Amino acid sequence: MYSEKVMDHFNNPRNMGEIENPSGVGTVGNAKCGDIMRMYLDVDGAGVIRDVKFKTFGCGAAVATSSMATELVKGKTVEEALKVTNKAVMEALDGLPPVKVHCSLLAEEAIHAALWDYAKRQGIVIEGLKEPVADIDEIAEG
Ligand code: FES
């Protein structure tokens, strides 16, 4: 049911962990399955993502899509990272079962939330980036 690449990224997740003093961090969740994903970005002065890490409390597909998403945005500019869609993540993983498509969406949303936080901290606007629907931290803090 899962591709070899999904199983590989699930068993050996890339870039798992957190970044101290990140340039941006975003946390998203899916209310239905309860899974949570957090992305940390380290962006240099030229707007290039030097490092990215994730923490995911969720299903295997959520772990695999987080892992692949970090691989896809690493080394890219923030503008390029914005174009890494859940479709791109799924394609890079050789597909996901239909019931697991929302897991890849969580990865896209987590990247966007981290980029949003980065832009906010920098006081800049990233063309085409929309404010995350909900930030889990803000929900938790009320
Ligand atoms: Fe919800 Fe995978 S089942 S993120």
Side-chain angles (χ1 to χ4, degrees):
M1 147 173 184
Y2 287 117
S3 73
E4 268 177 40
K5 279 196 187 156
V6 172
M7 290 314 292
D8 178 34
H9 278 263
F10 170 62
N11 287 317
N12 308 293
R14 326 295 200 265
N15 309 306
M16 199 159 65
E18 49 188 283
I19 294 175
E20 256 183 66
N21 304 317
S23 315
V25 52
T27 310
V28 295
N30 182 296
K32 275 195 187 147
C33 63
D35 291 354
I36 294 171
M37 205 181 275
R38 178 172 293 162
M39 291 267 181
Y40 301 82
L41 299 176
D42 180 18
V43 184
D44 70 13
V48 176
I49 298 170
R50 289 291 166 208
D51 199 10
V52 48
K53 293 257 192 283
F54 79 90
K55 265 190 170 175
T56 290
F57 304 93
C59 73
V63 172
T65 54
S66 317
S67 169
M68 182 53 91
T70 58
E71 289 281 273
L72 292 178
V73 301
K74 206 175 195 173
K76 289 203 163 80
T77 64
V78 291
E79 286 82 10
E80 288 166 346
L82 186 59
K83 296 192 191 108
V84 174
T85 59
N86 77 306
K87 256 192 171 167
V89 173
M90 277 201 296
E91 272 169 26
L93 285 169
D94 292 337
L96 280 174
V99 294
K100 292 289 175 183
V101 171
H102 79 272
C103 317
S104 66
L105 208 57
L106 213 51
E108 179 188 308
E109 287 170 3
I111 295 170
H112 287 187
L115 288 171
W116 181 267
D117 183 47
Y118 161 75
K120 211 168 76 178
R121 292 183 196 208
Q122 296 292 316
I124 59 167
V125 173
I126 300 174
E127 196 77 33
L129 178 63
K130 294 193 194 81
E131 185 169 2
V133 187
D135 190 302
I136 295 287
D137 291 331
E138 283 169 20
I139 294 169
E141 287 159 16

